[in-house]
């Protein structure tokens, strides 16, 4: 049992006669459906127990972490202006009236339009790059260079050009989310099997039909990977842009206002809300991904 | 079709220089020209918009008498533009880069400050990242229990925590380095963990037949196999650490640093200064990235295809 359980981690322990399975080979070669996969290699064949086994250990760790935080603050008598206890943070959340309007403003009015605009434009540019080799060779190097540049530094430029209201935040979020989508979507759109392309050709399918019926489905895992990266970037972009002068609303503005005044319970309450929104947005993308890419090999049973 | 042609080309003979020039450099140059044109067009648009409003208060008659061409000229040369032109931005950057590195309030002081914090954060993030990956490799239970938190740590907007962390830990380099390390460690953990497991099963069986100890398997098999993956993570991590250092300077008074310079330029609407500071941050990012790429070339001398 233990052998099976730890198979991908300790292949030495396997009996020498066993031939490597397809999953083993794929895992060994570092091949993965998505460019940055964060999923663990699946263990044994205990399908019924697996969900419980994967959920329980992190739950225990989570509870332990919170308990250590709470007890640590109480036993060491840490004042709340340094670090408030979890219980105090949770109790503070319902007492702040403007928290929900701030959260709504940051998420729905700033991050969401920028996220949609940047991801949408990124996908369009990736499709154009798939269509034209010249365009691909011209644009992709720039998209790749942005990986090594702190784009978030452009937030004050956006605020200077587009004002302190939500527009400037949406623009910087759009810029941040644009490049991961271009790179991932292009990789996905061109990840189709050459044989499939030849098949489409033998059906006399035109470029558009090939795009819709072959390239779009093939790109979905990559596109969703970019969307997952972009949910975080969208929240980061909106909050950082609020540090550079805001409309006196939004989570970033609120936190940056309360923290220097040592109202740390309030600041942490807003931090918790921001984290919850970040994780929630990520989960939404994961759920939509499961619905749209349930056919994909990484979700098939047996893996 | 683009990718199939490209792969055929890779198999074939080395293309001639003129062919390579057409294939690689021309598209990049064309897009560069388009970007510069867009920059100038945007500068004219924003500065005209700004001047049209601003000059109504200062000198409405004089401004309205100007022809369109003169207005555009004014928009591109004004000393306090809303959006500086490429020439103004690069000119200002060169002026500040040629100052004495120790000049008070100079660009170099900020670059050294932020670069220093980013490099320390990157090193700390690398240490944490690699340690976590080795820990996860050695215990499946630990991997299962902690990996969700490693992933979740990246879905939360860390920048929201920055003001709170800065107040809790105190302002200064130490907090900046910690925030920088926090942003850097994730990609390093994930890619190193993947790399440590990227060894072919056959190679394990070979090591077993040599009666290799677990330490030997780790040092001679897993570690070399993980190196290309590690560098993939390092390349993402080094930029993340710079982003972390810049963001950490935003909430409250850091004495120096690019983030602080951005904040100052933004608050006083010194737009040429703002743009050249953004450009210098981009160049610092490229330089740090370049150092990691150089290190990769020196360490990983064999050729490996790594899926990023």
């Amino acid at each position: 049992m233990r052998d099976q359980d730890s198979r991908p981690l300790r292949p030495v322990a396997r009996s020498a006669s066993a031939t490597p399975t397809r999953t083993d080979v794929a895992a060994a070669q570092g091949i993965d459906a998505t460019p940055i996969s964060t999923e663990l290699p699946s263990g044994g064949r205990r399908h019924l127990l697996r969900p419980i086994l994967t959920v329980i250990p992190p739950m225990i760790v989570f509870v332990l972490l919170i308990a250590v935080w709470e007890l640590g603050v109480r036993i060491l008598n840490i004042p709340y202006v340094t670090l408030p206890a979890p219980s105090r943070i949770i109790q503070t959340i319902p007492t702040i009236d403007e928290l929900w309007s701030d959260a709504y403003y940051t998420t729905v009015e700033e991050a969401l339009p920028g996220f949609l605009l940047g991801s949408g434009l990124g996908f369009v540019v990736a499709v154009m790059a798939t269509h034209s080799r010249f365009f691909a060779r011209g644009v992709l190097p720039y998209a790749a260079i942005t990986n090594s540049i702190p784009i978030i530094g452009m937030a004050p430029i956006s605020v200077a050009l587009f004002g302190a209201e939500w527009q400037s935040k949406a623009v910087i979020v759009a810029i941040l989310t644009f490049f991961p989508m271009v790179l991932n979507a292009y990789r996905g759109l061109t990840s189709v099997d050459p044989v499939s392309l030849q098949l489409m050709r033998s059906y006399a399918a035109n470029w558009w039909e090939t795009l819709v019926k072959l390239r779009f489905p093939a790109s979905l895992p990559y596109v969703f990977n970019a969307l997952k990266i972009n949910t975080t970037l969208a929240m980061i972009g909106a909050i950082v842009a609020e540090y550079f002068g805001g409309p006196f609303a939004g989570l970033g503005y609120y936190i940056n206002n309360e923290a220097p005044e040592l109202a740390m319970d309030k600041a942490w309450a807003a931090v918790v809300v921001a984290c919850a929104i970040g994780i929630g947005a990520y989960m939404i993308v994961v759920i939509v991904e499961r619905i749209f890419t349930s056919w994909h090999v990484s979700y098939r049973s047996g893996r | 079709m683009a990718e199939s042609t490209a792969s055929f080309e890779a198999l074939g003979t080395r293309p001639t220089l003129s062919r390579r020039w057409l294939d690689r450099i021309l598209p990049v140059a064309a897009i560069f020209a388009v970007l510069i044109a867009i920059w100038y067009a945007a500068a004219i648009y924003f500065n005209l918009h700004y001047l049209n409003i601003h000059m109504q208060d200062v000198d409405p008659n004089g401004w309205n008498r100007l022809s369109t061409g003169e207005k555009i000229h004014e928009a591109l040369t004004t000393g306090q533009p809303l959006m500086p032109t490429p020439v103004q931005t690069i000119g200002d950057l060169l002026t500040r880069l040629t100052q004495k590195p120790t000049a008070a309030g100079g660009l170099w002081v900020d670059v050294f400050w932020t670069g220093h914090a980013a490099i320390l954060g990157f090193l700390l993030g690398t240490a944490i990242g690699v340690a976590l990956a080795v820990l996860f490799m050695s215990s499946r239970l630990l991997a299962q229990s902690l990996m969700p938190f490693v992933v979740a740590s990246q879905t939360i907007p860390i920048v929201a925590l920055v003001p709170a962390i800065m107040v809790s830990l105190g302002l200064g380099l130490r907090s900046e380095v910690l925030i920088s390390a926090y942003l850097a460690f994730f990609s390093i953990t994930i890619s190193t963990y993947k790399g440590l497991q990227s060894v072919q099963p056959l190679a394990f069986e070979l090591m077993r037949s040599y009666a290799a100890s677990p330490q030997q398997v780790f040092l001679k098999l897993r570690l070399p196999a993980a190196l290309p993956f590690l560098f993939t993570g390092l390349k993402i991590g080094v930029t993340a650490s710079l982003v972390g250092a810049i963001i950490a300077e935003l909430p409250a008074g850091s004495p120096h640093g690019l983030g602080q310079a951005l904040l100052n330029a933004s608050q006083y609407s010194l737009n040429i200064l703002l743009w050249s500071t953004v450009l210098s941050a981009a160049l610092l990012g490229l330089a740090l990235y370049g150092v990691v790429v150089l290190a990769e070339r020196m360490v990983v001398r064999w050729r490996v295809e790594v899926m990023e």
Side-chain angles (χ1 to χ4, degrees):
Chain A
M1 213 52 181
R2 192 160 176 278
D3 252 22
Q4 263 189 17
D5 203 32
S6 56
R7 190 164 48 93
L9 289 166
R10 297 174 209 266
V12 188
R14 274 184 322 138
S15 86
S17 64
T19 49
T21 63
R22 210 182 39 162
T23 322
D24 274 355
V25 176
Q29 291 168 349
I31 295 170
D32 231 312
T34 48
I36 303 170
S37 168
T38 47
E39 277 168 39
L40 292 171
S42 57
R45 295 184 178 81
R46 289 171 295 177
H47 292 296
L48 286 173
L49 282 176
R50 200 192 293 161
I52 303 170
L53 284 175
T54 49
V55 170
I56 296 235
M59 292 288 280
I60 293 171
V61 173
F62 182 71
V63 171
L64 276 178
L65 276 177
I66 298 293
V68 168
W69 182 353
E70 179 79 39
L71 287 174
V73 169
R74 281 174 190 237
I75 291 169
L76 299 175
N77 252 329
I78 297 171
Y80 81 94
V81 292
T82 307
L83 185 69
S87 57
R88 178 160 188 156
I89 297 171
I90 297 299
Q91 283 162 10
T92 310
I93 290 177
T95 65
I96 310 170
D97 293 332
E98 64 265 48
L99 197 55
W100 304 116
S101 63
D102 279 340
Y104 177 85
Y105 191 83
T106 300
T107 315
V108 180
E109 302 206 8
E110 296 176 349
L112 190 63
F115 173 82
L116 295 177
L117 184 68
S119 304
L121 278 178
F123 189 76
V124 170
V125 167
V127 170
M128 285 161 69
T130 315
H131 185 60
S132 157
R133 200 171 129 203
F134 185 85
F135 188 69
R137 291 195 160 171
V139 165
L140 293 179
Y142 291 104
I145 280 180
T146 58
N147 274 336
S148 53
I149 287 175
I151 310 178
I152 194 76
M154 290 176 73
I157 288 180
S158 183
V159 172
L161 292 182
F162 300 100
E165 299 295 310
W166 64 271
Q167 291 92 336
S168 63
K169 281 74 178 177
V171 166
I172 189 66
V173 169
I175 294 172
L176 277 170
T177 54
F178 174 76
F179 296 107
M181 182 54 93
V182 172
L183 291 173
N184 275 289
Y186 179 77
R187 199 180 284 173
L189 288 166
T190 55
S191 72
V192 290
D193 193 350
V195 177
S196 311
L197 278 177
Q198 283 164 11
L199 182 68
M200 290 304 274
R201 212 185 138 102
S202 73
Y203 287 158
N206 59 29
W207 180 82
W208 182 251
E209 284 167 336
T210 311
L211 181 73
V212 172
K213 297 196 171 156
L214 186 61
R215 290 191 189 272
F216 277 178
S219 73
L220 279 180
Y222 296 83
V223 167
F224 276 107
N225 192 53
L227 289 178
K228 278 189 257 180
I229 299 170
N230 284 351
T231 52
T232 315
L233 287 177
M235 289 299 285
I236 289 179
I239 289 173
V240 169
E242 283 174 16
Y243 293 162
F244 287 101
F248 307 111
L251 286 175
Y253 171 79
Y254 183 81
I255 296 166
N256 207 20
N257 245 13
E258 297 299 326
E261 291 178 13
L262 298 184
M264 292 307 283
D265 46 350
K266 289 184 177 178
W268 274 97
V271 168
V272 168
V273 169
C275 294
I277 293 171
I279 294 172
Y282 190 89
M283 295 303 281
I284 290 172
V285 175
V286 168
I287 291 167
V288 176
E289 178 185 24
R290 296 253 160 164
I291 295 168
F292 276 95
T293 63
S294 50
W295 49 269
H296 194 263
V297 66
S298 54
Y299 297 129
R300 276 184 213 148
S301 61
R303 206 197 122 149
Chain B
M1 287 299 158
E3 74 286 352
S4 57
T5 354
S7 62
F8 279 125
E9 192 182 83
L11 286 171
T13 50
R14 210 192 165 104
T16 58
L17 193 67
S18 63
R19 184 70 212 287
R20 271 174 65 190
W21 190 85
L22 281 178
D23 271 358
R24 304 261 170 224
I25 299 160
L26 192 65
V28 173
I31 297 292
F32 185 75
V34 170
L35 289 177
I36 294 291
I38 291 174
W39 188 344
Y40 270 108
I44 291 171
Y45 171 81
F46 280 112
N47 293 339
L48 268 185
H49 182 75
Y50 172 73
L51 286 172
N52 274 333
I53 296 168
H54 179 68
M55 294 306 278
Q56 296 308 322
D57 299 333
V58 182
D59 181 17
N61 291 328
W63 175 251
N64 292 335
R65 260 202 307 278
L66 293 180
S67 69
T68 312
E70 285 168 328
K71 280 181 180 174
I72 289 175
H73 177 78
E74 183 62 22
L76 290 175
T77 52
T78 174
Q80 285 179 323
L82 193 56
M83 181 173 177
T85 63
V87 171
Q88 285 174 321
T89 307
I90 293 166
D92 186 56
L93 182 66
L94 288 178
T95 316
R96 294 206 287 151
L97 282 179
T98 46
Q99 281 170 344
K100 236 178 40 193
T102 50
L107 180 61
W108 283 109
V109 176
D110 291 331
V111 168
F112 285 141
W113 178 275
T114 304
H116 182 205
I119 290 168
L120 288 181
F122 174 64
L123 294 178
L124 183 63
T126 305
I128 296 171
V130 172
L132 274 178
V134 173
L135 206 65
F136 290 174
M137 182 208 73
S138 59
S139 158
R140 188 173 169 76
L141 186 68
L142 269 181
Q144 274 189 343
S145 327
L146 294 179
M147 193 62 108
F149 291 101
V150 173
V151 177
S153 75
Q154 300 305 302
T155 64
I156 64 174
I158 172 68
V159 292
L161 277 164
V162 170
I165 294 173
M166 294 306 267
V167 172
S168 292
L169 291 177
L171 305 167
L173 197 65
R174 193 178 49 164
S175 315
E176 214 175 310
V177 168
L178 278 178
I179 290 161
S180 164
Y182 181 95
L183 260 81
F185 90 98
F186 172 71
S187 62
I188 298 168
T189 301
I190 298 290
S191 52
T192 311
Y193 181 59
K194 209 175 185 185
L196 287 170
Q197 301 191 10
S198 70
V199 181
Q200 300 271 1
L202 269 178
F204 279 116
E205 281 160 22
L206 182 68
M207 289 304 268
R208 199 180 142 95
S209 74
Y210 290 158
S213 68
Q215 287 83 2
Q216 284 172 322
V217 172
F218 181 78
L219 282 178
K220 304 206 163 160
L221 205 54
R222 284 193 190 267
L223 209 58
L227 278 179
F229 289 83
L230 169 67
F231 274 104
T232 304
L234 291 181
K235 279 188 265 183
I236 304 171
V238 75
T239 312
S241 68
L242 178 60
V243 170
I246 291 175
I247 290 175
E249 291 163 5
L250 296 184
S254 166
H256 307 286
L258 289 173
Q260 194 57 36
L262 287 175
L263 203 60
N264 279 338
S266 166
Q267 275 167 353
Y268 297 106
S269 294
L270 303 169
N271 289 317
I272 298 180
L273 192 70
L274 178 62
W275 279 70
S276 68
T277 308
V278 169
L279 194 59
S280 65
L283 291 176
L284 180 60
L286 284 175
L288 292 174
Y289 188 85
V291 170
V292 177
V293 170
L294 271 182
E296 181 183 25
R297 295 244 167 110
M298 284 180 345
V299 175
V300 185
R301 289 181 169 278
W302 61 97
R303 210 181 135 68
V304 193
E305 290 294 323
V306 178
M307 301 284 289
E308 278 173 38

